[in-house]
Amino acid sequence: MSEHKEPIFLVPESEIKSEGHHRLVIFCSCFVLLMALGILNLYSAGSGDSFFFQHLKRIFLGLIFFAVFGWLVPLRLLMSQAYTAYILTALLLILVLFIGHSAGGAQRWLSLMGFVIQPSEFAKITVAMIVAYFFYTNPTHLAYRLRDLWLLFLLVGGIFLLIFLQPDLGTAGICLLIAVCQIAFIRIDLRSMLIVAGSSIMVAASGWLFFLKDYQKLRVLNLINPNLDPHGSGYNAIQSLVAIGNGGIIGKGFLQGTQTQLQFLPARHTDFIFSVFAEEWGFAGSFFVFILYGLLIYMILEIARHAANSFAALLAVGLGALIFVEFAINVAMVLGLFPVVGMPLPFFSFGGSAVIAMSIAMGMLVSIERHTMGLSGSKKKQDSLLSLAFTGFGFLRKKQKDAQT
Amino acid sequence: MKRLFKQESLVGGHRLVGAHVFVLVVLIVLTLRLWQVQILRGEYYSEISKKNRIRRIEIPAARGMIYDRDGKLMLANQPYFDLVFVPQFVNDTETSLRILSRLIHVPMNRLRRSLRQAQGRPAYLPITIKRNLSSHEVAIIETNKIFLPGVDILPVPRRDYPPDIASHLVGYLAEIDPLTLKKSEKDPGIDPYQQGDLIGKQGVEASFEKHLRGKSGYRLIQVDAFGRKTQPHLEGMTLPVIDAQKGHDVELTIDIDVQEAARRAFMGKQGAIVVVAPKTGEILALISSPGFDPALYQKQMSQDEWYAIINNPFKPLLDKTTGGEFIPGSVFKPLIGLAALQEGITTPMRTIRCHGSFQLGNDLFHCWERQGHGIVDLEKAIARSCDSYFYQIGIELGIDKITEYALDFGLGKRLGLGLNMERPGLVPSREWKRKNVGSSWQGGDTPNVAIGQGYVSMTPLQMAMLYASIATDGKMMKPRLLRQITNSIGEVVETGPNEVFHQSAKISAQNFKLMRRYLQSVVMSNDGTGRNASLKNHTVAGKTGSAQVVSLKKNQNNQADDTSMLWKEHAIFTAFSPTENAEIAIAIVSENDSVGGGGAQAAPIAKQILEAYWQKKSIKQPRLSKQQESPKL
């Protein structure tokens, strides 16, 4: 896939023929391929319903965000505005708690200027940014101890709590896991780690006893035996397995999955979208998707490895963790290896905020890589801040470029 | 310059390797699980998926039809509408039931019971909750179908009972009971029944159940998650439809004209009529009265209807032709006469004076004619049914000889008609009395047996067969109802064979001939007790009888007036015609109907039956083949 041929690409082609070039190409190829498969699959899941076209619009919007964050927003800006982003996210999350829309027993959505957004989706990115920024601004040559990290715990814990209160355990857990994945690359004092691990277990235990709603507990219990209650909470898990198993080696074919088309599969276009794919494309197609995800994660880790500074590296790790954790949990869930938690599959599931957030994350990764390649570090970055105000107006950039040449 | 940054990078070294390994392990685990689900257990899940969307709809088979010996239709089918309930597609059972209960006026408990009985069956199988809906009910349900997901109306072919059908002969159909259902599932020889299937419970329906039943087919349909039928365009497959196979048609030996004549002649009476063809053992007519309405069973009868049947003193459910044991009375006398002739105890010449009573020791036995018959020979004793004559020769014969001859006629055991609950009747003997009554045989018991009273009992079928065997020199054919069974394409599957049930070994043909002559004089002579049965153009031989219902002692008081209906004697008449080479033998038992004995009450009925038989014979009505009969569903 040759992203650089798109008109939005703003540097001369010769300039990016540097060593990072192939990473960017493979990374973007994986992203575009997954997105394309996702669109195709959603068409099947929705059987041509209106939400498919809705999704197409969001993908288009998402691609704009991808381009903006990838090629217009420099890493420096992300770094400097990390706290701004955090405060904005926290505000939105607090707003959700008061004036949000409810659906399915949780208050997760916010109406803003005609758009309905789910701030918790963006909070995942914010967590990745804030963790990266925290370690970037608090460097140490020794291992971090607990007292060094209290601010980080407060920041991440705040986001976690706000999402948990919606309640949305799945997303809250993802935020935590993103932070954990990032911290895994940091040297932490052993004793501090033990304390954290110990208290986590305590929190988890007390959470199970006092905070988890009954339906959430049931989901966990269902993992142990989905046949327990085939028409209750285990129904989804069973129908999902049936759909996947029905696919066999080569699948039933596009639009031919009986579990999907006859609507036996619940939440076909959201949480259980992978079952649709697995039924219609079989083991072969599913394995191909696994490879694409694997390749994507590998490329993200490569981007992180080559990143120019610890913020870029940690942000890349965080965003990679976001994609990987969501992928792994969603697929494990539909395969019956994990409780049914509300977890979208990146690039596949229907959901506006998730699509936009994922596009932004992918754009940020491009931005990091471009920074590594020294592209955004050129003199053009001087006016990046200014131009951010006019991100929508590509013609402005073009004019500038024209003027330069 | 870039290199410099890279060396400072956090992401590297063993932590990066760890991340790679972690990602790889997770991917491998997921891939293995995918392999397990899609490839190792793919078949299993495919099956579940099929079960999810494929629904099997039973197509009930039409039962075979029942024809008479001339191929005339006796019992056919007609489409009825059943209300069925498919649990899988009912979201809220209670609400659905409440709506249904209100719409069709069936108590909730009854609907719940139907559902309870069907517990443990696959949820997609329909449960019949009400049979034979009226067109009004069908309309109501169809209009309200939107509120009743999973409730359906199923057309089913079902018996179309004409009025006045011989209910004990054809029997009835009822929903299979759980015990039989379980048994049928274990028996590999028969197709398993489904809950709610109708099964033949009595009569021909039960006897030929396996032939009449047919084989139900099924249709597979594809449904979506909401139970809506969908077009199976997926996978380009067509779902199979296995047609139901109609049951085999049963052609009976019954002659519907004779049967109808008998029914009309017997109207208003209780009891039984058996008409047989002596040479073949074919049953020409069978009537047991009172009957019941078989349609009640088919549509699930109400409790009141059920109590009305079981509380009827005349036992409508009992088939009296084969299951009713009656004291034969004077109808038994020809057997004693034959035995006495054979043993040389009496001759056609021997006469006895009848005083109206007979003294044996301290006991006095009455003749039914209190004035006495005067001097009677055997012919007169038979024709006038003189009891005194038979008291005398009965005592001379002794109980052992009587038992011996009765058994020689094949009495005292089941004839094996295979219809309903056949009873064996009773031929008393010394041994029987010792075992069952607990006292030894008394001298006074023998005269009673000699006139067919006391311990002797016979079913109407046995009476008819006894006279049939007198007509055929002691060769008693095995009675049968089946002429042939044909399958749906007209091939004959089974025919009813002519089998000899019993051959009398003791009595000579000459004595049989003599007895036939005597029996003829019962009907044909002017003072014969059975003269009411005489015909103009054909000879008829017969014997009247009255069976005492209460004890002899009671009857001696001769207070017929103060005995209630139930205490009256049974009027019995047996006959065959013509006297030689008989084609038809009849036994009639009219219960509690003895105003004037068998001659007055039962003989005219025999006459009507015989007239119908001979009239039909004289017209020589061409036999209709059943293919010409327009088949009804």
Side-chain angles (χ1 to χ4, degrees), chain A residues 10-135:
Chain A
L10 303 172
V11 284
E13 211 170 308
S14 58
E15 264 189 65
I16 62 158
K17 291 283 178 197
S18 58
E19 85 179 284
H21 176 64
H22 71 280
R23 285 201 293 276
L24 206 55
V25 169
I26 295 173
F27 173 78
C28 288
S29 303
C30 287
F31 169 57
V32 170
L33 251 175
L34 283 170
M35 200 79 123
L37 286 175
I39 292 169
L40 203 64
N41 194 45
L42 196 79
Y43 180 77
S44 176
S47 309
D49 275 352
S50 64
F51 64 72
F52 170 69
F53 300 100
Q54 210 178 331
H55 187 70
L56 274 188
K57 276 186 238 162
R58 286 163 180 180
I59 294 236
F60 182 72
L61 201 63
L63 283 176
I64 292 175
F65 273 98
F66 172 63
V68 167
F69 275 88
W71 281 270
L72 294 184
V73 180
L75 188 65
R76 216 162 42 80
L77 183 67
L78 292 177
M79 212 188 293
S80 59
Q81 301 304 317
Y83 277 114
T84 319
Y86 181 84
I87 290 162
L88 197 66
T89 308
L91 274 174
L92 284 174
L93 286 172
I94 290 166
L95 268 180
V96 164
L97 288 181
F98 291 103
I99 59 162
H101 298 290
S102 302
Q107 199 162 327
R108 296 176 189 171
W109 294 273
L110 202 60
S111 255
L112 275 185
M113 295 173 293
F115 290 97
V116 177
I117 61 164
Q118 191 182 345
S120 53
E121 288 295 331
F122 299 99
K124 295 168 187 171
I125 296 173
T126 308
V127 167
M129 281 170 73
I130 205 73
V131 172
Y133 190 68
F134 177 85
F135 286 108

Side-chain angles (χ1 to χ4, degrees), chain A residues 19 184-187 239 241-242 244-249 252 255-256 258-259 262-264 278 282-283 286-287 290 294 297-298 301 304-308 310 313-314 317 324 327-328 331-332 335-337 372-373, chain B residues 2-3 5-6 8-12 15-16 19-20 22-24 26-27 29-31 33-35 37-39 41-49 52-53 88 222-226 228 230 233-237:
Chain A
E19 85 179 284
F185 285 92
I186 308 288
R187 268 202 304 159
Q239 294 299 344
L241 274 181
V242 169
I244 296 170
N246 195 26
I249 300 175
K252 295 271 165 194
L255 296 180
Q256 302 288 300
T258 54
Q259 282 286 103
L262 297 175
Q263 307 180 28
F264 286 104
F283 181 78
S286 308
F287 188 59
F290 282 8
I297 302 299
Y298 178 74
L301 285 174
R305 183 156 77 98
H306 294 99
S310 62
L314 277 180
V317 165
F324 180 70
F327 159 77
V331 172
L335 283 170
L337 294 173
T372 310
M373 287 154 67
Chain B
K2 279 177 237 158
R3 296 257 170 240
F5 281 121
K6 268 171 211 158
E8 285 178 2
S9 175
L10 275 163
V11 180
R15 284 178 200 258
L16 183 68
H20 282 152
F22 180 71
V23 170
L24 202 63
V26 168
L27 278 175
V29 167
L30 291 179
T31 306
R33 174 64 174 171
L34 196 67
W35 176 275
V37 172
Q38 294 202 291
I39 293 168
R41 305 198 70 194
E43 288 285 307
Y44 167 78
Y45 286 117
S46 263
E47 276 306 305
I48 296 184
S49 147
N52 261 347
R53 67 196 156 89
Q88 184 185 356
Q222 180 171 279
V223 294
D224 67 9
F226 307 104
R228 297 176 299 211
T230 57
H233 65 277
L234 303 173
E235 301 168 20
M237 61 176 174

